[in-house]
Amino acid sequence: VLLQAAQMWQEKVGDVPQAAKVYERALEKDPARIEASLALEPIYREKKAWTPLIDLLLARVDRVDSAAVRIGILQSAARIYEQELNELDSAYVVLQAAFKEDYQNEDSARDLERLAGATGRWNDLLGEYTQVAQTIQEPAAACALWVKSGRWYGDQLGHMDYAIESLTQALEKVPNEPSALAALTTYYRKTERWKELVSTLSALSQQETDPEKKVDLYISQADTYEDELGQTDRAIAAYQRALAVDDRSVAALRLLER
């Protein structure tokens, strides 16, 4: 009855404030009435009633069965905290909840990464998700989280040892996972761990299906053998593998002729 009355006030009479009051009464009587929540959302947005809107959205999360829908609601609430209220810490907390719904959701991860930087909460973020990654049973999900943690440690905090350890954990979950191998090559290079670098480049080249990228990996491996390890024979072998993939590779030919 209250919903019908609210709709009449809104659609027939055109009294939106009165309609909002009736929708709110409907929600007070029955918080599970999603229809009232959905009807109030555009009214609050139009009024720029940001705090009531956030309360409305967060209350709706508990009434929704779909994880994808819950994530969307939480992301929306986080955007309001950040963009309309400039409450970055609150936005960060809400995004944490969204990320916990699906650790492989790239939108949540990207926004959480940005807010961690803006609020200086990298250590909090990484400490929590390292613990979470250790408890995840599904290998692909655990691997994805370890890869994110590794990149965050390396790129945001400059903790190369922690980055390498996280990526090693990722490879224990999913051996030869390309994104973990690619990130490891970056941090092995930065820490001048040349033997580990050539080994990882070799593993990554075996996973790579794009001929041009495969050639680049073999050349990088050869350069490391030659310039950093002084192992000319292995460098030549790597250049030859590059030419086996593309016998017209000018870079490989020139390097082999030196």
Side-chain angles (χ1 to χ4, degrees):
V1 175
L2 285 174
L3 284 178
Q4 291 177 342
Q7 289 168 354
M8 292 289 290
W9 279 110
Q10 185 174 9
E11 297 171 7
K12 303 296 184 181
V13 181
D15 191 336
V16 176
Q18 182 60 32
K21 291 179 182 179
V22 180
Y23 282 129
E24 288 167 348
R25 285 174 54 200
L27 274 179
E28 288 173 5
K29 290 190 65 174
D30 183 2
R33 294 303 296 267
I34 296 295
E35 302 96 322
S37 176
L38 292 172
L40 274 171
E41 181 177 347
I43 295 174
Y44 285 163
R45 288 187 184 276
E46 180 68 23
K47 292 170 55 181
K48 298 185 179 181
W50 304 123
T51 299
L53 176 57
I54 288 174
D55 292 341
L56 183 79
L57 292 172
L58 295 181
R60 191 187 302 164
V61 170
D62 295 331
R63 308 292 178 182
V64 174
D65 293 330
S66 167
V69 174
R70 288 196 299 271
I71 289 169
I73 294 170
L74 290 166
Q75 290 172 339
S76 180
R79 283 193 294 271
I80 295 168
Y81 268 129
E82 181 182 6
Q83 298 172 8
E84 306 298 343
L85 298 176
N86 197 32
E87 295 183 15
L88 302 187
D89 286 325
S90 296
Y92 174 90
V93 170
V94 173
L95 274 175
Q96 275 188 311
F99 198 42
K100 288 177 181 178
E101 292 280 350
D102 179 5
Y103 297 110
Q104 299 185 73
N105 186 290
E106 291 298 330
D107 291 335
S108 295
R110 182 180 59 251
D111 289 343
L112 196 57
E113 177 179 347
R114 178 172 48 75
L115 284 170
T119 58
R121 300 180 71 161
W122 280 113
N123 286 319
D124 292 343
L125 176 66
L126 283 161
E128 178 176 351
Y129 288 112
T130 296
Q131 291 181 341
V132 171
Q134 293 170 343
T135 67
I136 297 177
Q137 299 300 314
E138 207 280 311
C143 177
L145 192 52
W146 280 118
V147 171
K148 286 185 177 70
S149 296
R151 286 176 171 162
W152 289 342
Y153 272 125
D155 296 344
Q156 304 300 329
L157 296 179
H159 293 339
M160 298 302 161
D161 288 340
Y162 289 162
I164 290 169
E165 174 60 27
S166 295
L167 293 165
T168 301
Q169 291 287 341
L171 291 173
E172 289 184 4
K173 297 296 182 181
V174 181
N176 294 322
E177 203 286 322
S179 64
L181 291 171
L184 271 175
T185 63
T186 298
Y187 304 132
Y188 281 148
R189 196 181 302 279
K190 287 183 177 181
T191 55
E192 300 184 355
R193 301 185 191 186
W194 307 121
K195 291 181 179 179
E196 292 90 340
L197 174 59
V198 292
S199 176
T200 306
L201 286 168
S202 176
L204 187 56
S205 65
Q206 294 174 30
Q207 301 298 315
E208 183 57 64
T209 57
D210 181 88
E212 185 175 350
K213 292 180 180 179
K214 187 184 283 284
V215 167
D216 289 342
L217 289 167
Y218 281 136
I219 291 175
S220 181
Q221 186 180 12
D223 288 345
T224 305
Y225 273 129
E226 183 176 9
D227 299 337
E228 308 299 344
L229 296 172
Q231 297 179 9
T232 305
D233 290 345
R234 292 191 173 185
I236 291 173
Y239 289 134
Q240 290 173 334
R241 285 193 290 273
L243 287 171
V245 175
D246 180 4
D247 59 8
R248 294 174 297 178
S249 172
V250 175
L253 283 169
R254 287 177 177 172
L255 291 167
L256 191 57
E257 289 172 357
R258 287 189 308 188

